[in-house]
Amino acid sequence: MIIQCLNNLFSGEVKYPENRQDSVSPDVIERKANTVIVPDKFKADVEALEKYIGRNLETGLCIKVDLAELLTVIPRERKRADAYNALRRFLKNEFDVELLINSRKGGEDERSN
């Protein structure tokens, strides 16, 4: 049996069963937006953000927005950039989307830690 396998391997005639599934991984990993389950806590925020940017969230997307503008799109009681930290972490971990909030008070972009 082993000799037959070696002979087939070296002769270049490898036969695979017809019901064999290809187990080769693709070079590019595609992430479908439908695979991420958005918790109720962030559902309205994600929908509002997608409406604001005019498309679905995609892997590697970077959204840069002023705090004042973001407050009109996704209102918060606390009118500071750190009020969006949980949303920023969720977007980064689940969608690989970076949300950069430009705060006029800080002068620079505030990023999640």
Side-chain angles (χ1 to χ4, degrees), residues 26-33 35 59:
D27 291 337
V28 177
I29 298 172
E30 291 185 22
R31 184 175 188 167
K32 297 179 183 176
T35 60
T59 299

Side-chain angles (χ1 to χ4, degrees), residues 47-65:
E47 289 173 0
L49 197 56
E50 286 179 336
K51 185 177 178 182
Y52 171 73
I53 64 172
R55 63 184 195 180
N56 291 337
L57 298 177
E58 299 173 355
T59 299
L61 189 65
C62 181
I63 303 168
K64 186 172 182 180
V65 62

Side-chain angles (χ1 to χ4, degrees), residues 49 63 65 70 84 87-88 91 97-101 110:
L49 197 56
I63 303 168
V65 62
L70 188 59
Y84 296 96
L87 176 62
R88 284 194 274 193
L91 292 173
V97 169
E98 192 164 352
L99 179 62
L100 301 176
I101 303 172
E110 295 190 23

Side-chain angles (χ1 to χ4, degrees), residues 80-100:
R80 295 182 53 152
D82 62 355
Y84 296 96
N85 282 346
L87 176 62
R88 284 194 274 193
R89 279 190 298 274
F90 172 76
L91 292 173
K92 186 64 177 168
N93 293 337
E94 297 300 324
F95 289 96
D96 194 25
V97 169
E98 192 164 352
L99 179 62
L100 301 176

Side-chain angles (χ1 to χ4, degrees), residues 6-112:
L6 289 174
N7 286 337
N8 288 340
L9 190 69
F10 289 116
S11 69
E13 294 181 30
V14 178
K15 296 179 184 177
Y16 297 104
E18 290 180 22
N19 62 354
R20 176 181 173 253
Q21 291 186 357
D22 216 339
S23 62
V24 178
S25 63
D27 291 337
V28 177
I29 298 172
E30 291 185 22
R31 184 175 188 167
K32 297 179 183 176
N34 296 339
T35 60
V36 176
I37 298 173
V38 180
D40 291 338
K41 177 180 179 180
F42 298 115
K43 193 169 289 248
D45 294 346
V46 169
E47 289 173 0
L49 197 56
E50 286 179 336
K51 185 177 178 182
Y52 171 73
I53 64 172
R55 63 184 195 180
N56 291 337
L57 298 177
E58 299 173 355
T59 299
L61 189 65
C62 181
I63 303 168
K64 186 172 182 180
V65 62
D66 287 332
L67 176 61
E69 194 170 350
L70 188 59
L71 284 166
T72 62
V73 176
I74 307 171
R76 293 286 192 267
E77 284 184 32
R78 184 174 176 170
K79 299 179 182 343
R80 295 182 53 152
D82 62 355
Y84 296 96
N85 282 346
L87 176 62
R88 284 194 274 193
R89 279 190 298 274
F90 172 76
L91 292 173
K92 186 64 177 168
N93 293 337
E94 297 300 324
F95 289 96
D96 194 25
V97 169
E98 192 164 352
L99 179 62
L100 301 176
I101 303 172
N102 187 22
S103 173
R104 293 178 194 254
K105 188 175 186 179
E108 291 186 17
D109 296 332
E110 295 190 23
R111 299 169 191 245
S112 62

